[in-house]
Structures are given as C-alpha cells and as structure tokens.
Amino acid sequence: MIKVAKVVKVGIADMNFVTTPDMLKTSGLGSCVAVILFTRHRQVAGMAHVMLPSSSLNHSPSLNQAKYADTAIQALLAGFKKHHIAGYMLKAKIAGGAQMFPFASQKDDGLARIGPRNVKAVRQQLEAHRIPLVAEDIGGTAGRTVVFDPATNILQVKTADRGVAEI
Amino acid sequence: MMNEFSELDLDVLKEIGNIGAGHAATSLSLLLDRKIEMHVPAVKVVDFDEMMNLAGGPEERVVAVYLRIHGDAPGNMFFVLSPMQAGMFVKQMTGVVSCQFTDPPYDDMAVSAMQELGNILTGSYLTSLADFTNMNLQPSVPALAIDMVGAVLSYGLLELSQYSDQAIVVETLLVDETGSTQDIRGHFFLLPDPDSYQKIFTSLGVNAHD
C-alpha cells in the first residue's frame, strides 16, 4: 500500500512525532528553537518547538513540557522510548534562536538575548543526554520555518530573506 | 490564569483598545492627511498558534513595530502591517516612491520613516491608555522587524508564556474609510504582563475577582 505523505505541524511550545513518509514542520521560529531528534534506521523523527531555556521559569500550575529546553528533550526521548528507540540511537538537528529585536528589552528582565540562551540550553541538554548534534542553523536576526523529512533526515530551513537551505 | 477573567474585565480591556487605537487612528489621519477609521476592538483569549493566525499565520511576512511598556503595568505592544501596506504608508509620508518593504534590501529612509510612524502610533496609543487609567506607562524605543509573524510576535509572549499557554489579545484594526482594495489595515496587539491585568483593573475601579 502506498501511504500519502502528510506534513505534520508543530505549533509554538508544541511537539510531535512522525514516521516516513510523513514530515514535520514548524513555522515562524524567532528566538524559539526547533529541536529535531531522529534515527537513521527506524525512519522516525520527533520535533519540539522550544520557547524558553529552562522549566525553572515555569510559574503555571501545569507544565507544558514542549515549551522548555530541558523538559522538551526529556519528552522527546520518552516518545522515542514508546517506539522502542533508545537514546543512544538518536541524533539531533536544531534551528532557530535568532535575535529578532536587537535593541529591545536591553535593560529589562532576564529575557533579553533569549535566542542565544535557548540555543545554549538545548545544546547542554543534548550533551547531557549524549545525543550528537549533527547540524544546526542558529542565531542571526531572521525568522525561520523548518521542515524535516525522516526519509532523508534533511532539515529544510527557510528564511524570509535568504531563501531555503538544507542542513 | 486566563480563565479568571469575567465579561466585565474583557469589556474593560476592549475599552482600552478602543481608546488607544482611537487616538492612534487620529494621529495616523493627521500624518497621512486622509481619514482613517478603526474597527471595534476584539478581545480574545487565544492560544499562541491562534494569535499568530490573527496576524496572518506564523509564516506570513509582516512589518512589525515592537515596544516594551515600562512603568505601573508592564507589557508588550505590537503594531503589525503587511509589507505592501507599510510601503504605502511610508510612500505617503515621505513622498519617496522607491520606499518599499516587499523585497530586501530596504531603503534606510523607508526603515527610519516606518520606525517613526510606529513611534507616533504606539506612542499615541500608550499615552491615551496612561491618561485613561491614570497610570505611569512609558514606552521603550520602538524596534522594527520585517519578518515572519511567528518569529516576531513570539517575542512578545515570552513573559506570558511562563504563566500560561494562552494570551489575552487586545486587537484593533485600522482601516481606510474608502474600504477599497488599497485600504490600510494595521493591527495593534496589546499584551500586558500577567501581573499587569490586576493593576489595570484596579486603576479603573474594577475588581477582577468579583
């Protein structure tokens, strides 16, 4: 049977999994970071749209795991476990972490430079879980839309000004 | 926290949008020397993805002026236009035909004129809001971004997102009275920090938990 490929959307502070031939997409990343975990052999991929670096910032009675770098990566790992895929089989690609408003919010709260902080937190979490980060498209001052295809493990990164790149 | 608001609270926020954007519309009319009208503001409790859809969808390219509100009721504010509309505004303001925001690179003058326009509009919105609530509200220097809706607006949700997965959006649309295809449509988004709602309601004599 031939399966028709779907593009599964990942919203802000959201996560999802797909198997081939489906793809994962998240749109309009600014300071947020898309974390994609995948494995060469099983053709399964998970994506989280991370908004903030640490769940210690959570003041809500309920915790949205996909929102924070630490809990998002834990939740992705847990999702792979359900597919019987262990952490050591995984690789990661990340994109995002831009600084959209370089002059804004400088003397303000700790949320200035949130993009680079998100990237740093995601990298630290990947390292802590011993997941190799094989490609990244991060920083800068432009927004990104990303599409991941687990059939090829290619991450397509589209920016408003630079067009489409593949990493 | 977003479920704790009554109809009355939402009406108060609507009135704030009305007054703020009303003044901004007047400023814009004067600036462009044409009549600009305002739609009745909408106050919606939306999740983050829905908010991006209000502004055209997360991937849509927009021209956005962002400012941080300091003072008694901190928060974030955006004025969002399509690149086409922003180009029209700036052409009318400056008389320079080459001003455009549809294809980078952008003319320095177009960028600085747009920044100034954003400054005037958000400033008049905020001044009237401060007068109405009798609060001390000071705008930061506005910053301009020409990029995807999601990339730009998500910046204004960072404070809020630590408390909730939803935002109260006070949304006001400015339109040209001719209503032609050439009409001007600009969105204001007011996003008070979580702690600011109570302060706004109190300043207006409304108890949020009645």
Side-chain angles (χ1 to χ4, degrees):
Chain A
M1 198 186 96
I2 293 169
K3 198 179 160 203
V4 178
K6 283 195 309 254
V7 176
V8 174
K9 282 189 182 158
V10 178
I12 300 169
D14 182 22
M15 57 181 277
N16 257 317
F17 286 86
V18 295
T19 51
T20 49
D22 295 347
M23 293 183 249
L24 285 162
K25 177 179 184 176
T26 198
S27 301
L29 290 160
S31 58
C32 298
V33 176
V35 184
I36 301 98
L37 299 189
F38 59 96
T39 155
R40 189 174 301 275
H41 307 296
R42 294 290 186 98
Q43 315 263 296
V44 183
M47 181 190 283
H49 184 130
V50 171
M51 213 173 169
L52 291 164
S54 166
S55 58
S56 64
L57 294 166
N58 184 45
H59 297 293
S60 161
S62 61
L63 173 70
N64 175 358
Q65 292 186 305
K67 195 185 287 176
Y68 306 96
D70 51 346
T71 48
I73 287 168
Q74 280 165 20
L76 284 172
L77 282 169
F80 276 104
K81 217 168 182 179
K82 280 189 197 148
H83 285 92
H84 305 290
I85 295 169
Y88 71 85
M89 300 166 75
L90 297 172
K91 296 183 194 309
K93 293 188 180 186
I94 64 172
Q99 184 95 342
M100 299 308 296
F101 294 101
F103 306 114
S105 195
Q106 273 170 348
K107 55 185 174 183
D108 220 270
D109 43 83
L111 293 175
R113 290 185 49 78
I114 194 75
R117 282 179 55 203
N118 279 337
V119 170
K120 191 176 163 199
V122 165
R123 280 188 184 145
Q124 278 171 349
Q125 288 298 322
L126 291 172
E127 205 164 306
H129 292 284
R130 307 203 184 286
I131 303 168
L133 176 58
V134 294
E136 58 179 25
D137 183 53
I138 52 161
T141 56
R144 295 168 171 91
T145 288
V146 298
V147 179
F148 186 80
D149 183 355
T152 59
N153 287 341
I154 287 173
L155 182 67
Q156 213 181 60
V157 183
K158 189 161 84 183
T159 49
D161 299 351
R162 282 184 297 151
V164 181
E166 288 186 347
I167 62 168
Chain B
M1 63 168 272
M2 295 304 167
N3 300 326
E4 292 167 20
F5 294 99
S6 66
E7 282 296 312
L8 177 62
D9 298 334
L10 297 180
D11 281 345
V12 165
L13 293 173
K14 199 180 274 189
E15 186 55 21
I16 281 171
N18 217 348
I19 288 170
H23 282 79
T26 307
S27 303
L28 189 59
S29 293
L30 292 171
L31 206 62
L32 300 180
D33 195 22
R34 64 195 275 195
K35 193 147 187 243
I36 303 293
E37 292 191 336
M38 183 188 75
H39 277 194
V40 176
V43 176
K44 295 174 186 152
V45 181
V46 292
D47 68 36
F48 298 164
D49 292 319
E50 283 172 323
M51 180 178 162
M52 303 312 158
N53 289 334
L54 290 177
E59 219 176 319
E60 184 73 17
R61 262 180 86 247
V62 289
V63 175
V65 177
Y66 161 77
L67 64 86
R68 177 91 186 131
I69 303 165
H70 300 280
D72 293 339
N76 297 312
M77 187 172 186
F78 291 92
F79 180 60
V80 180
L81 284 166
S82 78
M84 186 82 88
Q85 290 146 5
M88 277 172 44
F89 267 147
V90 168
K91 260 179 236 169
Q92 288 182 34
M93 263 174 77
T94 60
V96 178
V97 192
S98 64
C99 287
Q100 56 85 23
F101 295 100
T102 42
D103 284 303
Y106 314 110
D107 194 65
D108 281 350
M109 193 176 68
V111 169
S112 100
M114 187 61 220
Q115 226 150 4
E116 186 51 26
L117 179 73
N119 205 351
I120 292 166
L121 295 187
T122 52
S124 60
Y125 189 122
L126 209 59
T127 305
S128 62
L129 178 54
D131 288 347
F132 176 57
T133 56
N134 206 18
M135 284 194 292
N136 172 26
L137 301 174
Q138 292 147 358
S140 70
V141 176
L144 185 73
I146 304 159
D147 213 303
M148 300 176 190
V149 164
V152 172
L153 292 191
S154 62
Y155 192 82
L157 295 172
L158 294 172
E159 280 85 7
L160 197 65
S161 69
Q162 298 168 41
Y163 295 84
S164 173
D165 288 307
Q166 291 186 310
I168 294 184
V169 178
V170 183
E171 183 201 21
T172 321
L173 193 63
L174 298 182
V175 289
D176 191 328
E177 60 154 359
T178 60
S180 67
T181 50
Q182 288 274 297
D183 73 353
I184 285 165
R185 298 164 74 90
H187 275 87
F188 283 101
F189 289 104
L190 178 67
L191 296 162
D193 286 358
D195 291 343
S196 296
Y197 289 103
Q198 193 57 54
K199 291 173 191 161
I200 292 170
F201 296 140
T202 306
S203 77
L204 294 170
V206 181
N207 187 334
H209 297 287
D210 272 354

